[in-house]
Amino acid sequence: MTIPKVFVSYSHDSQAHKKWVLELATRLRKVGVDAALDQWDLGPGDDIPLFMERNLASADRVIMVCTEKYVEKANAGTGGVGYEKMIVTADLMKKVDSNKVIPIVRQEGTHLVPVFLKSKLYLDFSREDQFEESFDDLTRSIHNAPLFVKPEISTSPFEPVAGAAKRSGDALLELMSLLMVAFEMKRDGGYIPYKYVAERWPGSRAMLDILLEQAKSDGLITAITPAYIDITLKGKMYAVENKLVE
């Protein structure tokens, strides 16, 4: 299993803040994340810019702990924070859709992040009572183990199946097709016996009667008597338009 590597970027606001960042990085290492931090990876005589460059380049993700001082330095491009920002922005320009940087908001009262991270979704660590929830979100993101997995797309529930009932428009078209076949045969002087249609209709008698009433309501047919059907001019035009006859 590949162990994800992260680089923790922050500003030295106070001893309390440095301790908070140290505890965060320590917890990350305890949950399988190779967290790089200056407090244990950088010693006297080490090259600070080289340390930043190497860790930013090798890290899978970069955690930027945003406080008011951090944001101020990042926006102004000053200090180590400004140098890290310069390296990160140069890398992000190559991959516009990159999610390499994870901004986490530490300060209370405001949710400021550096200008170049304004479009990024941040994690809120400003409240201690939300720390565990935010930490879980952070570690899941690093391990690519989301709490909710996007379901696979299934097949459409509306795909046709054998024997499925037709929509009323399709069924009406089928009825008119059957009536036009009978009309072209000129049975009984052009009138179509209901019995002839009922014997050849593939569906139920109930549906046939419903469709006949619909065709009648639409002006496509008239009932000469209950036993005979006549196709109107509108019905014949309907048949031609729908290519039921040539």
Side-chain angles (χ1 to χ4, degrees):
M1 184 176 100
T2 303
I3 297 176
K5 182 176 181 179
V6 303
F7 178 64
V8 183
S9 173
Y10 69 107
S11 55
H12 293 196
D13 297 7
S14 64
Q15 284 301 119
H17 180 58
K18 287 177 66 176
K19 183 174 182 293
W20 186 91
V21 173
L22 178 64
E23 291 174 351
L24 174 69
T26 300
R27 283 198 60 175
L28 286 171
R29 294 188 68 84
K30 289 181 178 180
V31 292
V33 178
D34 182 9
L37 183 69
D38 62 350
Q39 294 186 55
W40 57 54
D41 287 329
L42 190 63
D46 288 340
D47 189 307
I48 297 175
L50 182 61
F51 164 77
M52 295 177 181
E53 291 170 13
R54 283 179 175 174
N55 282 283
L56 286 168
S58 62
D60 298 304
R61 309 294 288 273
V62 177
I63 298 173
M64 290 193 161
V65 185
C66 298
T67 60
E68 290 180 1
K69 286 186 179 179
Y70 185 94
V71 173
E72 181 182 338
K73 289 180 178 180
N75 289 339
T78 59
V81 172
Y83 188 71
E84 290 168 0
K85 175 238 182 174
M86 179 184 70
I87 299 171
V88 169
T89 49
D91 183 55
L92 293 180
M93 286 301 290
K94 300 174 187 174
K95 297 174 287 186
V96 178
D97 61 344
S98 172
N99 65 347
K100 183 172 181 175
V101 177
I102 305 175
I104 69 174
V105 173
R106 174 81 175 101
Q107 73 272 25
E108 291 189 46
T110 62
H111 290 157
L112 293 175
V113 295
V115 172
F116 79 103
L117 294 178
K118 284 287 188 182
S119 64
K120 302 291 183 181
L121 181 66
Y122 65 81
L123 292 176
D124 189 356
F125 278 81
S126 63
R127 291 171 49 185
E128 290 301 323
D129 60 344
Q130 291 182 338
F131 181 91
E132 294 302 327
E133 181 181 345
S134 298
F135 185 78
D136 183 69
D137 290 339
L138 176 62
T139 53
R140 284 183 177 278
S141 176
I142 294 170
H143 281 294
N144 193 26
L147 181 61
F148 301 104
V149 179
K150 190 175 184 178
E152 294 293 329
I153 300 177
S154 185
T155 56
S156 169
F158 303 110
E159 289 187 10
V161 294
K166 294 184 182 312
R167 294 178 297 164
S168 62
D170 296 335
L172 180 61
L173 194 66
E174 185 173 350
L175 171 64
M176 291 302 295
S177 178
L178 179 59
L179 292 176
M180 289 306 300
V181 170
F183 176 79
E184 293 295 329
M185 293 173 62
K186 298 187 182 295
R187 298 174 63 90
D188 298 318
Y191 300 142
I192 305 163
Y194 174 87
K195 181 179 179 182
Y196 173 89
V197 179
E199 288 174 349
R200 290 159 178 78
W201 176 248
S204 66
R205 289 284 294 275
M207 179 56 71
L208 172 61
D209 288 350
I210 291 171
L211 291 169
L212 285 170
E213 285 299 320
Q214 181 180 338
K216 184 178 177 182
S217 176
D218 292 347
L220 304 179
I221 64 171
T222 57
I224 304 303
T225 68
Y228 288 91
I229 302 161
D230 189 24
I231 301 174
T232 65
L233 177 60
K234 183 178 178 180
K236 293 168 186 174
M237 292 175 63
Y238 173 91
V240 172
E241 290 171 358
N242 287 277
K243 300 182 180 178
L244 303 180
V245 293
E246 295 182 359

